Amino acid sequence: MDLLPAETSSEIVKKHRFRSLKMVDLNYEQLLSDVPYGADYGTLDNGLSYYVRLNSKPKMRAALALAVKVGSVLEEEEERGVAHIVEHLAFSATKKYTNHDIVKFLESIGAEFGACQNAVTSADETVYELFVPVDKPELLSQAISVLAEFSSEIRVSAEDLEKERGAVMEEYRANRNANGRMQDAHWLLMMEGSKYADRLPIGLEKVIRTVSPEIVKRFYTKWYNLQNMAVIAVGDFSDTKSVVDLIKTHFGSKVSATDYVDIPRFLVPSHEEPRISCFVESEAAGSAVMISCKSPVIELRTVKDYRDLLVEAMFYNAMNQRFFKISRKKDPPYFSCSVAADVVVQPIKAYIMTSSCKEKGTLIALESMLTEIARVRLHGFSEREISVARATMMSEIESAYLERDQVQSTSLREEYLHHFLRKEPVVGIEYEAQLQKTILPHISASEVSKYSENFRTTHSCVIKAIEPRAAATVDNLKTVVLKINSLEDDGIISPWDEDHIPEEIVTIKPNPGVVQESEYSNIGATELILSNGMRVCYKCTDFLEDQVLFTGYAYGGLSELPESEYISCSMGSTIAGEIGIFGYRPSMLLDMLAGKRAEIGTKLGAYMRTFYGDCSPTDLETALQLVYQLFATEVVPGEEDIKIVMQMSEESINAQERDPYTVFANRVRELNYGNSYFFRPTRISDLRKVDPFKACEYFNKCFKDPSTFTVVIVGNIEPTIARPLILQYLGGIPRPSEPILKYNRDDLKGLPFTFPTTIIREVVRSPMVEAQCSVQLCFPVELKNEKMMEDVHFVGFLSKLIEAKIIQVLRFKHGQIYSAGVSVFLGGNKPSRVGNARGDISVNFSCDPDVALALVDLSLDEILRLQEEGPSDADISTVLEIEQRAHENGLQENYWWLDRILHSYQSRIYSGDVGSSFTIQDDSRSDVRKMLTPSTARQALEKILPFPCKKQYTVVILMPQDSRFQLLMSMVTNAKVQFGCAGLIVLAFCIWRYSRTSSK
């Protein structure tokens, strides 16, 4: 049904923009421009490259970077880890900035500093990134001066190094978890025979703990040459020339400490025989198979190279669709499988296949993965598969083209980084759209199929099976490889069998519902009340040309259920989702939605049930059809559906129980929220009690009565198009004759949870392969009903204040952590409009197990100091600035508006007027900002947290479980235990003497 209005509609015009985009005359030998599109690009006399581009997304912000072609592969043996240490030292002290002044500056202007936010070190490069406001001229100048300091003025003193060792060690320790160990093992296998194999960026523990300032300084001065660097600035500038002038001002006088040294190129040797490994990781999240085939990087230089890249992308698209369909068949060989490619190090590109499978299922998974690739080599892809892949890619480039003037500055910064570091051309989205529109229709199935050659096991292939307990052997894996190679050689692998795909999502169009309408001009929103009782609020924005977001919610969730039904019904979304909640199986729906951008999900929560979606404006009809189908579909589980879901769930639970962190997280929940069934972890024994029919029956009821739902839609919608679609597909949802799961928000059952009234300090010990330590310090929070709006905002500000001060003390003063987080939990409260709200504020960090208790005491001391003395004016200024910058960014985002309008409906003060509710909340935020001073912050900390904070809190510390030998040694060295043992020995001797006397 064509519901598009006349030709004057802006949606038609937008769509037409891409459809009328001129194709290009193809000359495959034509060179792609090596001058980056859109940038003021050049080189200073000292060798520094620069890129400057105007971009107003987001407004009054700039994304800056200093790219350095220096990574861990350049380290000598005694320097292993030094490239990463230099990155850390940059934020500690330079010639101009000392004592973490750079961090203080970033926070003072609202540019947050945190783990992995501001810099990254890899094997080949180091990149420093800043995201700063530019509404004041001096801010951009100072930010560029910081990058200039990094280029040649990083201070490397013994004191600086000692301060930073703890943070680097904590990052090292955090990397030594199950994922880190598995990644490192795969890296070593892939890079074997190359220097890369022994140059993981994190380095060696011995080097981190003992490397001298002289060695660090030598590495820095040798390799940090301006000819190896580029500064990138993308942002909402008035012009590029003034920014280039700032770069020249701050970088122009810089001189490299040593003469330029050519950066050596390290090769990774190829090999015909596959390298096969079985990696047993007791803490692994599950069993998996990884296949990586290495190939030299081919530089993207010509239009033909670009065409080859499109063919390759089409291969991944078609292959992943096939893998997904296999994962949803009867007795699937794996739960998920995907294929991709990545430039892992400068000279090497890896073609990667990964799958996750059931325990002891790695051999079956490997056989299926290799078989499918061999099937493509023998029979190719079908025309339908290629058509689906082509439609998907065309949809993606159309979306990118429509939003070409709304790209985030951080994304454009990334393009210029790749141009400098990897010589990737930046040709502009307009030209890319023209190329793809011209090339994609002419790519054949046979061309795409040929890319399967890159996955031959003779193509420098590395195969690794990961298992929590040893099941497969290397010989087993080799046998599978030989078997599939033999089947392929004999040509006895059958062609792919395709399913029939329906053309229409909704076969019989519903009749539109009638409507009542209200306008809320203060938020630019329109509210419709449909004849079936559903309330719909939509807001038109122009933040992104190709984005529409929506969420629908209804009160009444899992808290209403008796404990006996909770486990079954809580799995309703999972079980129904695997079967198909829109009337079609997920694998079939994948093909039906080819070329469309419409995604819908569901969630069953404690007090609400929700559906949510993201679509292109041109696919809004499809998205709303899916919502209609969600309410119209009766999900009925089949035997095979149940088997697959239960198998996946069981594997997930087993994986959680292998993770040392699970014991810790479970104990935190148990202490802070009691042993309520809602907060209790799901065990295998619980899973076996699940009734899939009860789960699906409950899910069907949750999305049956439209009169219980409020839907908020935000994005680039044209009301003349969207309104008829809303009336037809949302208004057309039939209302049941009797209400289903219709609840008053004030009458919902609250979750039973209570915070301990005393101090509890516990150490939870768990078996670990390598020592890890996590800490959670938690305080109860109670917000009074009469001051709820105000206190909610105070809690947000105070949590950010506590986080900043904890990081200052534990990282910058004592150098013992890498990062810390402070979170607020108020989600246990029912959404009633009356009564107080309870929750907690928690401080989380990881650290060396030996200093955990001392760091807890330091944290308590700092929070108590804030309660007694209050923060400084600078602290308050920083918190206000960070919040204001986040608020300004949010005003330009659809997600932010969607969340704010939803909160306005769900607010305690909502009484039918969403505009008024929004205004009251916004005014409350402004009032709290005006009120926030060191004195009011101190008073709020006293009121909202226990005062003094040391009188009521819980702290749980995850520690490694001692080995039997350590336990024995601790008994031997413990005086009380020694005394007890001595007493036992004396008693035993007396009994022996008595028995000897009796026998005589």
Side-chain angles (χ1 to χ4, degrees):
M1 181 177 182
D2 186 5
L3 296 175
L4 293 179
E7 302 256 321
T8 54
S9 164
S10 62
E11 278 302 321
I12 283 269
V13 173
K14 287 168 190 169
K15 194 79 177 176
H16 189 62
R17 280 188 222 153
F18 181 76
R19 289 178 180 169
S20 63
L21 186 66
K22 289 183 179 179
M23 298 190 186
V24 292
D25 294 327
L26 292 176
N27 173 8
Y28 286 121
E29 300 310 311
Q30 179 185 333
L31 292 175
L32 298 172
S33 175
D34 57 359
V35 177
Y37 175 85
D40 195 336
Y41 168 64
T43 305
L44 301 186
D45 292 340
N46 56 17
L48 177 88
S49 299
Y50 63 82
Y51 302 72
V52 179
R53 175 163 175 171
L54 304 182
N55 190 62
S56 58
K57 185 73 176 179
K59 294 175 183 175
M60 303 312 296
R61 296 292 184 276
L64 310 178
L66 177 69
V68 189
K69 294 178 180 178
V70 173
S72 57
V73 75
L74 297 176
E75 296 165 349
E76 300 302 331
E77 188 63 27
E78 71 275 12
E79 297 173 332
R80 289 176 66 180
V82 166
H84 179 235
I85 289 172
V86 168
E87 173 218 304
H88 271 254
L89 289 171
F91 291 93
S92 175
T94 66
K95 185 177 180 180
K96 185 177 177 181
Y97 301 95
T98 61
N99 195 27
H100 295 99
D101 285 342
I102 290 173
V103 176
K104 294 171 189 173
F105 159 68
L106 292 174
E107 292 181 334
S108 73
I109 64 173
E112 295 185 65
F113 173 84
C116 302
Q117 284 184 328
N118 302 100
V120 62
T121 302
S122 69
D124 294 305
E125 62 219 28
T126 304
V127 178
Y128 301 89
E129 296 180 341
L130 303 178
F131 186 68
V132 298
V134 291
D135 49 356
K136 300 172 186 174
E138 69 274 11
L139 297 182
L140 179 60
S141 178
Q142 192 168 355
I144 291 174
S145 81
V146 166
L147 295 180
E149 289 285 295
F150 293 165
S151 71
S152 57
E153 308 289 354
I154 296 175
R155 199 175 73 188
V156 188
S157 69
E159 182 184 0
D160 298 326
L161 192 54
E162 285 308 313
K163 275 186 179 180
E164 210 57 35
R165 285 190 206 273
V168 180
M169 263 312 302
E170 191 45 45
E171 194 175 348
Y172 173 88
R173 187 179 293 107
N175 191 56
R176 301 305 302 157
N177 58 13
N179 282 338
R181 289 189 295 272
M182 290 187 288
Q183 289 170 5
D184 290 356
H186 195 66
W187 175 273
L188 292 173
L189 206 60
M190 283 185 68
M191 300 300 161
E192 187 180 313
S194 163
K195 189 179 180 184
Y196 284 105
D198 298 322
R199 292 298 181 270
L200 286 164
I202 195 64
L204 299 177
E205 180 177 354
K206 180 183 176 182
V207 173
I208 296 170
R209 291 189 184 278
T210 64
V211 68
S212 68
E214 292 75 22
I215 291 176
V216 177
K217 184 74 172 178
R218 183 184 69 198
F219 180 89
Y220 176 60
T221 55
K222 178 179 180 180
W223 295 114
Y224 268 57
N225 190 289
L226 290 160
Q227 294 183 56
N228 295 331
M229 301 183 196
V231 63
I232 296 156
V234 181
D236 194 10
F237 314 125
S238 57
D239 62 277
T240 59
K241 182 181 180 300
S242 61
V243 182
V244 172
D245 289 343
L246 283 175
I247 291 170
K248 289 177 179 177
T249 298
H250 293 294
F251 281 91
S253 60
K254 298 293 182 187
V255 179
S256 300
T258 58
D259 292 336
Y260 178 75
V261 178
D262 283 333
I263 294 180
R265 191 172 176 84
F266 301 96
L267 300 178
V268 178
S270 60
H271 48 95
E272 280 194 18
E273 282 297 312
R275 293 175 185 161
I276 299 177
S277 168
C278 292
F279 188 77
V280 178
E281 172 52 67
S282 60
E283 297 172 9
S287 297
V289 176
M290 295 178 68
I291 303 173
S292 303
C293 298
K294 296 170 291 183
S295 182
V297 170
I298 298 173
E299 199 172 315
L300 183 61
R301 298 182 68 248
T302 67
V303 173
K304 182 184 181 302
D305 296 332
Y306 188 85
R307 187 185 196 281
D308 290 343
L309 204 62
L310 292 179
V311 176
E312 184 179 336
M314 198 175 282
F315 170 81
Y316 301 137
N317 201 298
M319 202 72 238
N320 285 330
Q321 288 180 49
R322 192 177 281 196
F323 282 144
F324 177 77
K325 291 174 182 177
I326 293 170
S327 72
R328 294 303 180 266
K329 288 188 173 182
K330 181 179 178 180
D331 288 327
Y334 38 69
F335 300 132
S336 66
C337 184
S338 64
V339 60
D342 190 25
V343 177
V344 287
V345 293
Q346 270 189 3
I348 289 296
K349 180 176 183 177
Y351 299 92
I352 304 165
M353 267 194 296
T354 57
S355 72
S356 62
C357 58
K358 62 185 179 182
E359 196 167 344
K360 299 182 181 178
T362 53
L363 295 177
I364 295 171
L366 175 63
E367 183 170 330
S368 176
M369 293 161 76
L370 294 177
T371 298
E372 219 46 55
I373 291 290
R375 195 189 315 277
V376 173
R377 281 196 292 264
L378 285 173
H379 305 288
F381 289 111
S382 69
E383 287 301 328
R384 177 174 181 82
E385 287 178 299
I386 295 305
S387 295
V388 168
R390 183 183 294 115
T392 301
M393 290 177 64
M394 198 71 88
S395 173
E396 289 169 356
I397 191 61
E398 178 180 353
S399 178
Y401 176 75
L402 292 175
E403 294 179 351
R404 64 193 181 282
D405 297 324
Q406 300 164 319
V407 179
Q408 291 283 348
S409 291
T410 48
S411 298
L412 294 173
R413 177 180 64 186
E414 198 69 19
E415 287 190 21
Y416 296 128
L417 281 170
H418 286 184
H419 182 272
F420 177 71
L421 296 169
R422 301 180 184 176
K423 298 181 181 178
E424 290 183 9
V426 178
V427 298
I429 192 61
E430 292 93 338
Y431 185 51
E432 282 204 62
Q434 285 181 298
L435 283 175
Q436 293 201 31
K437 189 177 178 183
T438 306
I439 294 171
L440 283 173
H442 303 289
I443 295 175
S444 66
S446 60
E447 284 181 274
V448 177
S449 303
K450 285 177 183 175
Y451 262 84
S452 57
E453 292 293 332
N454 290 312
F455 289 88
R456 284 200 179 273
T457 52
T458 54
H459 193 107
S460 294
C461 183
V462 173
I463 299 173
K464 186 171 73 168
I466 300 166
E467 297 178 309
R469 285 180 284 269
T473 65
V474 170
D475 286 342
N476 294 150
L477 298 175
K478 285 181 178 177
T479 301
V480 170
V481 172
L482 293 172
K483 174 185 173 182
I484 304 306
N485 287 347
S486 175
L487 290 174
E488 183 179 359
D489 290 342
D490 295 340
I492 54 175
I493 296 174
S494 60
W496 175 252
D497 185 20
E498 289 199 286
D499 297 324
H500 169 70
I501 306 298
E503 293 296 325
E504 297 286 337
I505 294 173
V506 178
T507 52
I508 301 175
K509 299 293 191 290
N511 295 318
V514 294
V515 67
Q516 299 175 24
E517 183 174 332
S518 303
E519 294 288 339
Y520 297 101
S521 58
N522 64 319
I523 57 174
T526 301
E527 184 183 78
L528 309 175
I529 299 178
L530 308 179
S531 55
N532 58 12
M534 181 178 277
R535 188 184 300 264
V536 180
C537 178
Y538 65 83
K539 176 179 173 62
C540 308
T541 71
D542 58 1
F543 305 135
L544 287 172
E545 289 277 355
D546 202 47
Q547 185 181 69
V548 177
L549 306 174
F550 55 89
T551 295
Y553 73 92
Y555 289 113
L558 296 169
S559 74
E560 300 301 311
L561 299 170
E563 183 175 352
S564 60
E565 296 180 10
Y566 169 74
I567 286 292
S568 292
C569 295
S570 67
M571 291 194 65
S573 271
T574 304
I575 295 173
E578 287 299 317
I579 297 167
I581 59 178
F582 307 111
Y584 306 96
R585 300 195 68 82
S587 56
M588 187 178 292
L589 195 64
L590 185 71
D591 279 359
M592 294 174 70
L593 296 178
K596 300 180 184 292
R597 200 173 69 74
E599 299 176 24
I600 311 288
T602 62
K603 180 183 177 183
L604 304 181
Y607 302 117
M608 290 184 215
R609 49 202 193 271
T610 59
F611 63 84
Y612 48 90
D614 181 352
C615 69
S616 168
T618 51
D619 295 322
L620 179 61
E621 180 174 10
T622 300
L624 295 180
Q625 285 180 338
L626 291 173
V627 175
Y628 175 84
Q629 286 292 101
L630 172 65
F631 281 80
T633 299
E634 285 286 333
V635 181
V636 180
E639 188 177 331
E640 275 305 315
D641 301 318
I642 296 169
K643 182 181 176 182
I644 293 169
V645 174
M646 290 300 148
Q647 204 171 61
M648 291 171 68
S649 301
E650 191 166 325
E651 287 291 332
S652 176
I653 292 170
N654 285 333
Q656 288 176 16
E657 291 179 349
R658 285 191 293 269
D659 185 349
Y661 188 83
T662 300
V663 179
F664 167 73
N666 288 347
R667 186 55 182 150
V668 167
R669 277 199 300 271
E670 187 179 358
L671 270 182
N672 295 342
Y673 310 126
N675 199 26
S676 163
Y677 67 88
F678 192 86
F679 296 104
R680 204 181 298 151
T682 304
R683 309 287 188 193
I684 295 293
S685 55
D686 297 320
L687 204 59
R688 287 169 185 155
K689 298 174 187 173
V690 168
D691 180 346
F693 292 93
K694 172 68 73 175
C696 290
E697 179 189 355
Y698 178 70
F699 181 87
N700 291 332
K701 286 182 180 178
C702 283
F703 301 99
K704 189 61 64 180
D705 188 345
S707 70
T708 63
F709 277 82
T710 297
V711 182
V712 178
I713 307 173
V714 175
N716 186 27
I717 52 179
E718 176 65 55
T720 56
I721 296 176
R723 186 187 173 96
L725 298 177
I726 290 169
L727 295 182
Q728 180 162 44
Y729 293 109
L730 299 186
I733 297 171
R735 184 175 185 170
S737 56
E738 296 292 330
I740 299 175
L741 300 186
K742 193 175 184 74
Y743 295 97
N744 184 316
R745 63 184 288 185
D746 297 318
D747 299 329
L748 297 176
K749 293 179 184 176
L751 297 177
F753 69 96
T754 53
F755 197 91
T757 56
T758 58
I759 297 169
I760 297 179
R761 293 166 71 106
E762 271 196 23
V763 174
V764 174
R765 296 195 178 272
S766 181
M768 298 180 193
V769 176
E770 296 191 45
Q772 302 274 323
C773 177
S774 293
V775 176
Q776 179 159 321
L777 171 62
C778 200
F779 303 95
V781 168
E782 184 165 5
L783 307 183
K784 302 298 182 183
N785 186 51
E786 57 273 13
K787 288 279 191 179
M788 186 67 65
M789 287 292 103
E790 182 180 296
D791 285 350
V792 164
H793 289 295
F794 262 117
V795 166
F797 284 112
L798 295 178
S799 64
K800 185 56 66 178
L801 171 67
I802 292 170
E803 181 176 287
K805 299 307 289 183
I806 294 295
I807 290 174
Q808 283 180 22
V809 172
L810 301 191
R811 176 169 181 179
F812 299 140
K813 183 177 180 180
H814 293 279
Q816 292 293 344
I817 66 168
Y818 178 46
S819 185
V822 173
S823 56
V824 179
F825 174 71
L826 296 171
N829 297 282
K830 63 180 183 178
S832 170
R833 283 168 285 209
V834 295
N836 298 340
R838 294 179 296 124
D840 59 70
I841 290 181
S842 59
V843 180
N844 303 274
F845 56 85
S846 60
C847 62
D848 185 329
D850 293 338
V851 299
L853 288 168
L855 298 190
V856 168
D857 291 335
L858 286 172
S859 301
L860 286 166
D861 289 343
E862 181 60 19
I863 296 170
L864 181 60
R865 187 194 68 75
L866 290 170
Q867 286 184 313
E868 293 177 341
E869 302 173 18
S872 67
D873 287 325
D875 292 331
I876 295 300
S877 177
T878 294
V879 169
L880 286 171
E881 193 70 17
I882 288 173
E883 190 275 345
Q884 179 61 23
R885 298 305 185 182
H887 181 77
E888 290 169 358
N889 287 344
L891 287 169
Q892 305 170 60
E893 298 293 337
N894 288 325
Y895 281 106
W896 187 90
W897 279 101
L898 177 69
D899 186 62
R900 287 297 308 275
I901 295 174
L902 283 168
H903 274 81
S904 298
Y905 274 110
Q906 296 164 7
S907 169
R908 290 179 172 223
I909 56 175
Y910 173 70
S911 57
D913 186 329
V914 70
S916 173
S917 175
F918 185 98
T919 299
I920 293 170
Q921 290 188 83
D922 208 43
D923 289 346
S924 177
R925 168 190 170 268
S926 299
D927 291 343
V928 171
R929 284 185 60 84
K930 292 172 187 174
M931 292 165 54
L932 197 63
T933 65
S935 175
T936 56
R938 179 185 61 75
Q939 293 167 13
L941 282 164
E942 286 184 7
K943 183 178 87 168
I944 292 172
L945 294 181
F947 180 68
C949 66
K950 293 185 178 183
K951 78 174 185 180
Q952 187 186 5
Y953 64 87
T954 64
V955 62
V956 181
I957 304 174
L958 173 65
M959 294 274 203
Q961 191 174 71
D962 291 333
S963 66
R964 290 195 175 105
F965 177 74
Q966 287 173 318
L967 285 170
L968 181 61
M969 289 303 295
S970 66
M971 289 176 63
V972 171
T973 55
N974 186 300
K976 291 181 180 179
V977 175
Q978 287 178 339
F979 183 79
C981 289
L984 287 172
I985 292 169
V986 171
L987 177 62
F989 180 70
C990 292
I991 293 172
W992 176 77
R993 284 189 61 189
Y994 175 78
S995 65
R996 295 281 292 171
T997 305
S998 299
S999 64
K1000 287 180 181 179

